[in-house]
Amino acid sequence: MTFCFLLLQLIFSFVLPQTDVDSCGCEDKPQVNTLAVVNGVRITKKELGSDVQNKIGVLQGEVIKAREAQLDLLINSYLLEAEAKRRGQTPQEFLQTDVIAKVVNPTDAEAQAFYNQRKERMPGDYKTVKSQIIALLRSERERVESLKMAATLRAVSNVKVLVPNVTPPANEEDLNRVLATAGKRQFTSRDVEEALAPLIYKVQQNVYQLRKDDLDLRINDMLLEQEAKRQNLSPQALLARGVRAKMPIITDQQAMAFYEENKAQIKDDFEKVKLQIVQLLTQKEQDKVSKAFAAELRQNAAVQIYLTPPDPPKLPIR
């Protein structure tokens, strides 16, 4: 990734618009309503937890914002490279002379004032974070100067934005839709989607994992309830028999062994962290026993899962 592209990304990361989640276009295939069937009982997408649905909405919202910003990013990057070429410079040289060289370094007084306004949220004292504050203030000034430069280039260029609200392509033909022009250069939906393909795929993977994890929990809960009913027990009683009764006791020797293996990352003495270590090791054992119990329940159950992972992005060749 070029330096100019990174800088322009920084510019537009601060001015991303909000829009409707329906315009994400994040699903790589039609999503089935029934995610799984457990012993004849369906689990639908609507039954996923609200927390998961909210997290999915946040992830897909990132794609919406990025799509809206990507068109401006493509236009500005093109104009920057064209102007640098006209001057006989590389894009990096152009940015150095027209952006970076114009930025005044923050003073110690400005850094101190910044710290004083936010010291309750700072991770250390002023001396510890001074260099980071100065770097942050300079980065913000570079961003402002970059915005001025981009506005200047647009003002003297024949830029026409034909589709201000960029939406995902509905079909292959829609990929050739012209969204904007700068002189003879056309910017299409394909340009935007190709640039965003890695981000969209990452979001699809994260969304799939969120759905899968929640679905697995719901399948396990359903199997637990069904098996408890079959044995005329409460789910809590069956869980106590299948998990808690099989939990090993964490000994002081095990806790000390863990401490010795990890003491480079542990600042306190063993006695101060012994309880936390025991709790951590106990939780690990509980997770292991719980997974084994869930696998045992699944062995004798009819479970069909229809949720599938996303396919890698494949945009049509030009």
Side-chain angles (χ1 to χ4, degrees):
M1 187 179 292
T2 65
F3 175 68
C4 66
F5 189 80
L6 283 171
L7 184 54
L8 286 169
Q9 273 193 318
L10 176 64
I11 292 173
F12 289 103
S13 67
F14 288 86
V15 291
L16 296 175
Q18 300 291 330
T19 186
D20 187 357
V21 174
D22 290 340
S23 64
C24 175
C26 298
E27 305 289 7
D28 68 323
K29 63 191 76 172
Q31 291 294 307
V32 294
N33 182 51
T34 298
L35 300 182
V37 177
V38 181
N39 291 330
V41 181
R42 295 193 308 161
I43 299 177
T44 66
K45 192 184 342 183
K46 290 183 178 179
E47 293 177 69
L48 294 181
S50 58
D51 183 53
V52 169
Q53 302 286 19
N54 291 336
K55 289 179 180 178
I56 289 173
V58 170
L59 285 171
Q60 294 183 340
E62 292 177 4
V63 176
I64 296 170
K65 297 173 186 177
R67 183 177 281 111
E68 290 290 335
Q70 187 64 40
L71 179 60
D72 276 337
L73 179 58
L74 290 170
I75 293 171
N76 288 358
S77 182
Y78 167 76
L79 293 177
L80 184 150
E81 292 177 7
E83 179 62 16
K85 184 177 181 181
R86 187 185 71 81
R87 297 186 185 189
Q89 296 177 309
T90 65
Q92 291 83 356
E93 290 170 340
F94 175 60
L95 284 172
Q96 180 65 41
T97 57
D98 280 58
V99 175
I100 297 175
K102 294 181 179 181
V103 174
V104 178
N105 281 325
T107 64
D108 288 352
E110 290 171 328
Q112 181 72 65
F114 183 94
Y115 176 84
N116 290 341
Q117 292 171 2
R118 301 165 178 82
K119 59 183 176 182
E120 294 81 7
R121 305 192 298 273
M122 290 293 178
D125 58 23
Y126 175 66
K127 290 183 179 179
T128 303
V129 299
K130 175 183 173 181
S131 60
Q132 292 97 313
I133 292 174
I134 290 176
L136 177 64
L137 292 175
R138 179 172 177 87
S139 177
E140 172 62 14
R141 291 179 182 184
E142 289 180 0
R143 184 186 75 84
V144 172
E145 203 61 46
S146 298
L147 285 170
K148 293 178 182 177
M149 179 268 293
T152 299
L153 291 178
R154 282 184 172 238
V156 298
S157 303
N158 188 24
V159 176
K160 296 180 180 178
V161 178
L162 308 176
V163 183
N165 298 320
V166 183
T167 56
N171 48 51
E172 183 175 339
E173 181 181 353
D174 211 17
L175 284 167
N176 297 319
R177 178 180 45 153
V178 177
L179 305 177
T181 61
K184 296 182 179 180
R185 173 71 162 90
Q186 293 184 333
F187 300 91
T188 66
S189 178
R190 185 188 304 273
D191 294 324
V192 172
E193 297 306 311
E194 286 181 348
L196 293 181
L199 171 64
I200 293 174
Y201 183 51
K202 182 180 178 181
V203 167
Q204 290 170 347
Q205 289 178 306
N206 291 337
V207 167
Y208 166 75
Q209 194 61 50
L210 283 169
R211 287 172 175 160
K212 181 179 182 301
D213 290 345
D214 194 68
L215 181 61
D216 282 341
L217 290 175
R218 292 178 187 281
I219 290 173
N220 292 344
D221 287 345
M222 186 174 291
L223 289 174
L224 178 68
E225 291 177 4
Q226 291 175 351
E227 181 63 17
K229 185 176 181 181
R230 189 184 71 81
Q231 295 189 29
N232 197 27
L233 295 171
S234 68
Q236 292 78 9
L238 181 59
L239 196 61
R241 178 193 297 177
V243 175
R244 297 190 186 94
K246 298 178 181 179
M247 285 285 296
I249 301 298
I250 303 300
T251 65
D252 289 353
Q253 290 78 6
Q254 288 174 302
M256 176 59 79
F258 179 90
Y259 177 82
E260 290 296 330
E261 290 176 6
N262 298 276
K263 64 180 179 182
Q265 291 81 39
I266 302 175
K267 297 180 180 179
D268 293 320
D269 295 333
F270 174 68
E271 290 301 326
K272 290 184 178 180
V273 297
K274 175 183 172 182
L275 179 59
Q276 292 95 312
I277 292 175
V278 170
Q279 291 173 338
L280 174 63
L281 295 179
T282 300
Q283 185 61 54
K284 285 185 176 182
E285 289 298 325
Q286 182 174 325
D287 291 343
K288 187 188 302 183
V289 175
S290 296
K291 287 180 181 178
F293 182 56
E296 182 182 331
L297 290 176
R298 289 197 184 209
Q299 273 186 336
N300 302 315
V303 179
Q304 294 87 34
I305 297 177
Y306 301 104
L307 178 68
T308 57
D311 296 324
K314 291 181 181 179
L315 284 172
I317 299 175
R318 293 175 183 273

